[in-house]
Amino acid sequence: MPSPIQHPVLGNLVPDQWNDELLTFREFPHMKPFWYPDRDRALTNLEQNQRQWVENWRDHTADLSPVCRDGLVHAALQSFGVYEVTLRVTEDDGGVPIEPQVAAYRYFSEHEERICRNVSDALLRYYRLCRKVCPDWFDDEDYPDDPTIEQLGRLVAFDGFSITRCSSGGMSALRLGWDPDWDPEHGLVMAVFQDQVLALGTDDVDELLHAPDETDGYGVWGPKSMTEAERSTLRQFIDGFEPSEDED
């Protein structure tokens, strides 16, 4: 079980609800299209102490950690644009984040608006592609073919990110989580390195993050779907890839 720490870059880190990883919360102002849309409703459904924790979330990381995945608390936090950031630490590293994880979080904080804009753009392109090549995913509802980011935000929920232990050039990749209405069973995962999206999908994303030079193939999203900046960053990530020592 990891121990709580006050980190100079990541702030107050506490064990997550499963006591497997460290967790903090942060506001994502540039992901506003994906926030839970009805704050008043979300807060009304909470117990009084939970409402106080959510409204003052910066001071209640330890209180929120065990309950942040409860549906009502989860929605209330997301109505404030507040999401989890998690990372795994090991005893060999003294129970603290490794330098590539710190570098990734610092980079995100310094370039957050651009990264979130690129993430939103990639998600829009992924959705449009899926509508064309996997139309059966969308049979049950009337999904738009070419939504705005605001419209897409009502169809897929952002779910925070984890900072992986794999790295390239001294910086970890981020693993973003999403909950799409069209595939609630499998969800959606996005790999981000520096300011570009490397991969979108499910198991194929984790395969890329584990051993990118051994990836057998891609799902719906692949290099042909990517911008030149995304492809260039993918090549950079692969060329400098360092696996996590405890996963190698």
Side-chain angles (χ1 to χ4, degrees):
M1 173 179 173
S3 299
I5 61 172
Q6 184 67 36
H7 192 273
V9 175
L10 287 108
N12 187 22
L13 294 169
V14 303
D16 67 6
Q17 54 270 43
W18 300 286
N19 292 318
D20 289 333
E21 299 183 331
L22 287 177
L23 169 151
T24 190
F25 298 97
R26 80 184 319 273
E27 183 184 11
F28 288 78
H30 303 294
M31 300 293 269
K32 197 163 186 177
F34 304 100
W35 293 12
Y36 184 80
D38 193 340
R39 180 179 299 177
D40 290 340
R41 178 183 178 185
L43 290 174
T44 298
N45 291 327
L46 293 181
E47 297 177 6
Q48 184 57 41
N49 64 324
Q50 293 178 339
R51 176 169 181 158
Q52 181 183 8
W53 296 345
V54 170
E55 292 179 328
N56 301 279
W57 59 270
R58 289 180 177 85
D59 301 321
H60 292 279
T61 305
D63 295 316
L64 286 166
S65 176
V67 298
C68 65
R69 284 281 141 180
D70 294 356
L72 297 178
V73 177
H74 196 55
L77 283 169
Q78 293 189 353
S79 75
F80 283 85
V82 175
Y83 300 83
E84 298 159 65
V85 173
T86 59
L87 61 159
R88 190 161 54 83
V89 296
T90 69
E91 293 182 2
D92 290 343
D93 296 314
V96 300
I98 56 177
E99 282 305 311
Q101 290 175 314
V102 176
Y105 188 82
R106 183 184 291 114
Y107 187 93
F108 180 86
S109 298
E110 293 173 350
H111 305 278
E112 181 173 359
E113 183 174 5
R114 181 170 75 245
I115 294 170
C116 291
R117 184 171 60 248
N118 290 343
V119 162
S120 297
D121 178 72
L123 191 64
L124 271 172
R125 287 183 283 123
Y126 175 82
Y127 173 87
R128 292 166 184 154
L129 179 62
C130 290
R131 290 287 286 128
K132 291 180 179 179
V133 303
C134 303
D136 54 309
W137 291 2
F138 305 90
D139 283 347
D140 296 336
E141 299 288 344
D142 185 18
Y143 290 95
D145 289 331
D146 189 19
T148 64
I149 193 63
E150 288 75 21
Q151 291 172 322
L152 185 61
R154 302 283 72 84
L155 303 175
V156 54
F158 177 54
D159 199 21
F161 67 69
S162 59
I163 310 175
T164 69
R165 291 177 63 83
C166 67
S167 63
S168 180
M171 184 181 298
S172 291
L174 305 180
R175 184 183 185 277
L176 280 62
W178 303 86
D179 294 316
D181 286 356
W182 60 88
D183 193 359
E185 179 180 355
H186 299 100
L188 182 64
V189 181
M190 176 186 287
V192 172
F193 180 66
Q194 295 179 353
D195 60 351
Q196 299 294 330
V197 175
L198 302 185
L200 265 162
T202 52
D203 293 343
D204 50 315
V205 176
D206 290 323
E207 291 173 5
L208 176 77
L209 291 173
H210 180 71
D213 56 346
E214 298 176 10
T215 300
D216 293 332
Y218 297 87
V220 174
W221 177 273
K224 292 182 179 180
S225 312
M226 300 166 71
T227 65
E228 181 51 42
E230 290 166 343
R231 287 191 292 268
S232 176
T233 303
L234 176 60
R235 290 192 295 269
Q236 178 186 348
F237 178 74
I238 293 173
D239 289 344
F241 181 75
E242 292 288 343
S244 170
E245 291 182 1
D246 52 309
E247 294 178 348
D248 193 17

